[in-house]
Structure formats: C-alpha cells, structure tokens
Amino acid sequence: MVELGKLILRHYNQRFSLTVLISGYFNRAAAIDPYIDHVSNTDPSITFHRLPALPNPPSHPSSPTPHRPVLFFESIHLNNPNLLHTLQTISETSSIAALVIDFLCNPAFPVATELNIPLYYYFPTGASFVAMILHLPNLHNQTNKSFRELGNTTVLQIPGLPPIRASQMGPNLLDRNNKFYDMMLDLGMLLLKSRGIITNTIEALEPKAIKAVRNQAPAIFCIGPVVAEPRDQSGAADCLSWLDKQPSRSVMFLCFGSRGVFSVKQIEEIAVGLERSGQRFLWVVKNPPPIDDKSRRLSSISTMDFDLEAVMPKGFLERTRDRGLVVKSWAPQVEVLNRESVGGFVTHCGWNSVLEAVCAGVPMVAWPLYAEQHMNKEVLVEEMRVALPMEAAEEDEFAVAAEVEKRVRMLIESEDGREISKRCREITEKALAAWAEGGSSQTAFTELAESWSRG
C-alpha cells in the first residue's frame, strides 16, 4: 500500500496529498516503526496516521496461523468508529478524493458509505485472484459442499482462469463454515459496489483474468508492476559477488518468500535433489519449524540464529561448495533475479516474487506453500506459461528429491525450459513497456487519477 502511495505522489504530488492510516491491530512499534521512519525520511510527503490501539483487541487462545486473517478482519471492524472519526477530522480541512483500502480491510466499507467517500479496493495480488473472489458467491450458490469436500476430483470453472481444482482454492477457503470464508464471500459482493479495483498486475500478463474482472466490476485499474524498493544490501555482498562469478543463466535461485518455511526432512530432500541435478544454485534457507510441526509452511518469525549444518545432509555444503551457495534466511531477491548468471527461480508463487521474476526475465519452478499460491501456480504454468510445476504429494505437499532434481534440470537444460525462458523474456518486454509513454499501466494510472479528481 505504501508503494502505491509513492507511485501516486511521484506522478501527482501537485494534485493529491496522501495519508496512510495504520490499524490499531498493528500498533507494534518494534515491528513497524523502523519502516515508517525510513519512509517518512525518504518520502516526507507521505503522512502516517495511527488509529488508536484497540482496548479489547480480538484474540484466539493459541493464535494459530489459520486464524490470524480472521483476527485482522475483526480488528478492522472494531476500529471502524476510530476510522470514522479520523476521516471526519480530515474532512474538516481537506476534501477526501478517495478512500483506498487493502482488500483485507473490507470491513471498513460501511464507513466510506456513511461519509459518501468514493471507495476503491487495492489488491497487491494479480487479477486472477480478484476474478476468483468475484466468482466466489456464484460457486457458493452452486453447491452445499465445501471446497475441501469437493477435493481434487472437482474442477472449478472460474471466468478468466485455467481450470482450478477445488482443493487449490487456498487453505482458508477450503471450509465454508468459518469466518474467513464468510468474509471473502462478503468481499466478492461488495467489490461490485465499490468505485473500482486497483490491482498490481499488467494487461499483457493476465489478459483473460482482467477481461473477466472488467466484465463484472465497476472498473479495474491494472497499474503494475509495483515492486518494493530493494532493501539494504550490506549483508548480501558475498551472495551477489558469488553470482557475478558464475556463467550466464546457469544458477538456479531458490527462495520462498519472507514467511515460507520447510521441515528438516523437506530441506534434506531439496538438498539431495540439488546435488544430484549437477546444476549451480543459490538457496535461501530459513530456520525450520519444530520437529512436531512437520506440516507448517508459513512462519511469522524469521531468525538467522540457527545451525545451517544441522539441517543439511551430512557433508552437503562441502560437496557442493564449488557450484552452490546456501545463505540463511534472506537474500536481496530483486538484485539476485537481475543478475546475468541467474537462469531459473524456484518460488513459492507469492505475487511479489512473480512480478520480480517477470520483470527480470527469469523463468520459474512453481512450488506454492500457502494462501492463494496454489491458484497462482496454475496460472503461471497453464495460462502465462512462464513456469514449470513442482509436483508435490497431495496429502502433505511434500516434494521428493527426484522431483526437485527433475524440475531443476528441466528448466536449465531442456527444450521445454528454453521455451519457457523465451516466453518469459517476451513477457518481460511487455511488462517493462507498461509504464512507458502510452503504456497500459501508465494509461490505467492516468484514468485512476482522473476518477479521483471527478469524485
């Protein structure tokens, strides 16, 4: 959302001012204050306003990961009186052209309606996810069964998307009798009552999904690629220096987002597959979850304080040191992907990672872990044709060493891999042209600004 704000001020700082509202649910100073301070120093035109901390914030006894989105939704709802007061206060000195909310802030919709403020939804995801959410009410009315019950045997036909199995609808949507499902169902209906949908995608990347959304929503503005600025590279010199010494398009980069984790057993399988593949690699490894939590793929905490040797097969690091590099927890992904030596990217299919790979012209191996990533995988493989699928076991999403070896080899060595690389480079040219003079994203952004000016 902040990156969207920067984009607005970069192009229309004489026309609009910008205030970013921060939910009281996220009033964790140690976590977000450094970032806010950094943005405030580098982009002083952005004003941050914290909504008051909730006196009785929603909670769950053990706060397991699946319930966290629900807690967030509930906190937004509880903060509506504070949001109402804040917007009324701003209105006393300024004319509010629009309220742009992240789609997860959907409970704020009634506030915009009460104050008669034009409301727009921002999706940092692709248009395929938007198309799915818009079609969710229709899917809901077609059956009494949950997506979990429909399972792998039921193929869903969603306008603008390739065929999607019911089991690929995302873990929080699999059961229809839960609050998150109800909230997404509500979102699918309220999107149609908004002024428009802003999405971080490119017309050339998802033409079918964008057309499907455009046929239903009041308006869609595809303004991608909006990619966060690179982080401090002070701790990444060794990684980038190593890449600069490797042959062109020879290195497979493995990274699974800021929150993706694997069990020790899965890490071992990846290591064996990489070693057998004979390919060069740069692999970002996070601290694995506890032994008794083998199924977890999502972590809210990342630490670099763990023994890398202990989670790897014995002797692996030594045997592969001439053609591989393993780093703990983090690497500067944008910079890595733009290195000439990187020829492939094993990714969790998070949308930011997808955009970064597309902009760098790097083909992918799609290995989804959580959220809407399973759907993203199908879109990347079947629709965009810029990725190979990593086939994992249906029951626990475990990928064996042979599969890792196969996909790494295929992307780097095979004719299929070369075709995907060619396709990816073609899309890269279109992506980079989107913000050129008269490009699709520039045009969409101009239309968005005009809609704000009209009120």
Side-chain angles (χ1 to χ4, degrees):
M1 186 65 81
V2 172
E3 296 302 322
L4 173 62
K6 293 178 183 179
L7 191 62
I8 294 168
L9 293 179
R10 192 177 307 137
H11 291 268
Y12 296 104
N13 64 320
Q14 299 300 318
R15 192 186 303 188
F16 303 113
S17 61
L18 188 78
T19 299
V20 178
L21 304 180
I22 303 174
S23 167
Y25 181 68
F26 285 112
N27 277 353
R28 296 174 294 177
I32 66 172
D33 272 4
Y35 174 74
I36 292 176
D37 290 343
H38 171 73
V39 174
S40 298
N41 290 332
T42 55
D43 291 271
S45 298
I46 297 179
T47 300
F48 288 93
H49 178 85
R50 294 178 186 270
L51 298 178
L54 296 171
N56 297 300
S59 62
H60 187 276
S62 59
S63 295
T65 298
H67 293 275
R68 298 182 71 190
V70 173
L71 298 183
F72 179 77
F73 269 107
E74 291 178 352
S75 73
I76 295 297
H77 175 74
L78 292 173
N79 242 321
N80 274 350
N82 294 324
L83 175 62
L84 177 67
H85 175 73
T86 298
L87 293 176
Q88 288 173 327
T89 301
I90 294 174
S91 296
E92 293 174 0
T93 56
S94 304
S95 174
I96 300 179
L99 176 63
V100 180
I101 63 173
D102 185 282
F103 73 96
L104 288 175
C105 296
N106 185 52
F109 189 101
V111 175
T113 301
E114 180 175 343
L115 297 178
N116 198 28
I117 297 174
L119 183 136
Y120 295 75
Y121 283 92
Y122 177 59
F123 282 77
T125 65
S128 297
F129 179 70
V130 182
M132 183 272 285
I133 293 296
L134 282 171
H135 194 62
L136 186 60
N138 295 328
L139 294 173
H140 178 81
N141 293 331
Q142 289 171 7
T143 178
N144 292 322
K145 293 184 177 181
S146 69
F147 294 130
R148 187 184 303 278
E149 291 174 302
L150 294 174
N152 291 317
T153 59
T154 301
V155 177
L156 306 176
Q157 302 296 332
I158 301 175
L161 272 65
I164 303 290
R165 288 177 293 166
S167 60
Q168 296 174 316
M169 288 291 284
N172 290 324
L173 290 176
L174 291 181
D175 299 305
R176 62 193 285 152
N177 296 319
N178 68 61
K179 288 185 178 180
F180 185 86
Y181 180 93
D182 291 340
M183 291 168 180
M184 290 294 100
L185 203 60
D186 187 50
L187 174 62
M189 294 181 283
L190 288 180
L191 285 174
L192 302 178
K193 300 178 181 180
S194 70
R195 289 292 186 92
I197 298 167
I198 309 164
T199 182
N200 186 14
T201 192
I202 307 154
E203 288 275 354
L205 194 60
E206 302 180 274
K208 293 181 181 179
I210 291 168
K211 181 180 179 181
V213 175
R214 192 166 279 138
N215 287 340
Q216 302 173 73
I220 179 173
F221 304 93
C222 304
I223 62 167
V226 180
V227 177
E229 294 178 354
R231 288 174 50 176
D232 176 25
Q233 299 180 28
S234 58
D238 291 345
C239 159
L240 299 177
S241 175
W242 183 85
L243 283 172
D244 290 339
K245 297 174 183 176
Q246 308 308 312
S248 175
R249 299 193 175 274
S250 67
V251 177
M252 182 66 73
F253 177 46
L254 298 89
C255 187
F256 302 92
S258 59
R259 303 173 68 189
V261 294
F262 287 118
S263 67
V264 171
K265 180 60 178 174
Q266 182 64 86
I267 289 174
E268 291 174 350
E269 290 292 311
I270 296 172
V272 172
L274 288 175
E275 185 171 3
R276 290 176 180 172
S277 76
Q279 304 299 317
R280 291 176 173 82
F281 63 87
L282 170 62
W283 180 15
V284 180
V285 176
K286 288 185 171 59
N287 191 18
I291 299 298
D292 60 352
D293 195 4
K294 297 178 182 178
S295 63
R296 195 172 77 185
R297 297 288 188 274
L298 175 65
S299 175
S300 59
I301 301 174
S302 179
T303 175
M304 297 185 69
D305 185 21
F306 68 98
D307 185 354
L308 193 57
E309 289 272 6
V311 302
M312 293 288 163
K314 186 176 180 179
F316 169 77
L317 296 176
E318 177 64 24
R319 291 191 302 272
T320 60
R321 66 177 182 175
D322 291 335
R323 59 179 175 85
L325 181 64
V326 182
V327 298
K328 289 184 181 181
S329 298
W330 177 82
Q333 184 163 291
V334 173
E335 289 79 5
V336 167
L337 289 170
N338 280 279
R339 275 335 199 243
E340 174 63 25
S341 59
V342 175
F345 180 27
V346 182
T347 174
H348 66 312
C349 306
W351 191 248
N352 282 340
S353 293
V354 169
L355 284 182
E356 289 165 4
V358 165
C359 289
V362 177
M364 290 163 270
V365 174
W367 192 350
L369 302 182
Y370 51 87
E372 82 284 2
Q373 294 165 8
H374 289 84
M375 183 187 69
N376 287 349
K377 171 189 173 182
E378 294 303 310
V379 173
L380 289 170
V381 174
E382 302 297 338
E383 190 65 36
M384 299 182 194
R385 304 192 310 280
V386 294
L388 292 171
M390 183 73 77
E391 301 295 351
E394 293 179 355
E395 62 274 10
D396 59 4
E397 299 181 329
F398 190 84
V400 297
E403 175 66 12
V404 175
E405 176 188 358
K406 173 184 175 181
R407 297 304 176 180
V408 170
R409 282 182 178 273
M410 186 177 293
L411 194 61
I412 297 292
E413 296 180 343
S414 75
E415 186 60 34
D416 286 346
R418 282 187 283 274
E419 282 297 318
I420 289 174
S421 295
K422 179 182 177 182
R423 166 74 174 164
C424 196
R425 288 193 294 272
E426 291 171 352
I427 290 183
T428 298
E429 293 179 5
K430 296 177 181 179
L432 297 178
W435 270 101
E437 187 68 29
S440 62
S441 294
Q442 186 196 62
T443 300
F445 198 66
T446 300
E447 293 172 353
L448 177 61
E450 292 299 324
S451 75
W452 290 336
S453 296
R454 290 192 302 267

